[in-house]
Amino acid sequence: MEQPQPAPGSLSWRLSSHPITLLTFLGFRVSSLLVYLFGLLFTDNLVMIFIITILLLAADFYYLKNIAGRRLVGLRWWNEVDPSTGDSHWVFESSEPGTKVINATDSRFFWIAIYAQPLFWIALAVVAVFSFKFIWLPLVAIALVLTITNSLAFSRCDKFSQASNIAGSAFNGGNLAGSIASNMVGRFFSR
């Protein structure tokens, strides 16, 4: 009996263009949450849970920023500091529009995981406050800073990429003013 093939863009890792990258990315995303949750439930060793969770969050931050973002959705970002002035600014990089085709499944997994993880950490912060376990709040705050930083940076990177693609297609794909004028003239005479 033949199993039905999932539709393109559905949440099935088998449809991914980079399944190992995707599974590693999701593994890092989920593992820090699981270590924190199971640590709360099964042990009172705050130091061990804190260290393991921080290491997993750091690995997730690095892997997402430098590997998964570039391979799954063609986006990368970093922060540069001007040595003469000390000013820092974010740099966004996206793949060239014609060189990389973004897999719909990879993109869906990526964006869902990017936005879902900060929401889970916010929920865990609320749980820590209402259960009077304030000692866990620094760990949750660090997790929120790392996950929200990646979320904001990739969101900006995606907006930058879309704006660059529109500008690039307008200037490289033909004369923008000419295409607007021909559309207007065509509409005027077609009536």
Side-chain angles (χ1 to χ4, degrees), residues 169-190:
S169 66
F171 292 118
N172 296 332
N175 184 340
L176 179 62
S179 67
I180 291 172
S182 70
N183 286 339
M184 288 175 61
V185 169
R187 284 190 195 129
F188 180 69
F189 286 113
S190 67

Side-chain angles (χ1 to χ4, degrees), residues 22 25-26 29 64 68-70 72-73 75 105-115 154:
L22 178 64
F25 162 65
L26 294 174
R29 292 257 111 174
L64 172 59
R70 184 173 45 83
L72 297 177
V73 291
L75 301 173
T105 298
D106 290 339
S107 180
R108 285 192 66 204
F109 269 116
F110 181 84
W111 292 111
I112 288 170
I114 282 283
Y115 294 124
F154 275 108

Side-chain angles (χ1 to χ4, degrees), residues 10-89:
S10 64
L11 291 177
S12 172
W13 67 270
R14 288 185 171 93
L15 295 176
S16 174
S17 296
H18 306 286
I20 294 172
T21 303
L22 178 64
L23 292 174
T24 304
F25 162 65
L26 294 174
F28 280 132
R29 292 257 111 174
V30 171
S31 63
S32 59
L33 287 165
L34 290 178
V35 166
Y36 177 81
L37 288 172
F38 287 137
L40 284 175
L41 296 174
F42 299 120
T43 184
D44 290 331
N45 191 345
L46 170 74
V47 174
M48 180 182 72
I49 299 305
F50 194 94
I51 290 171
I52 293 171
T53 304
I54 290 294
L55 289 174
L56 289 170
L57 284 165
D60 172 57
F61 184 85
Y62 175 83
Y63 191 79
L64 172 59
K65 186 171 108 36
N66 295 308
I67 299 167
R70 184 173 45 83
R71 294 204 63 197
L72 297 177
V73 291
L75 301 173
R76 208 174 105 185
W77 67 272
W78 64 91
N79 192 343
E80 286 184 353
V81 177
D82 184 5
S84 60
T85 63
D87 294 337
S88 78
H89 64 281

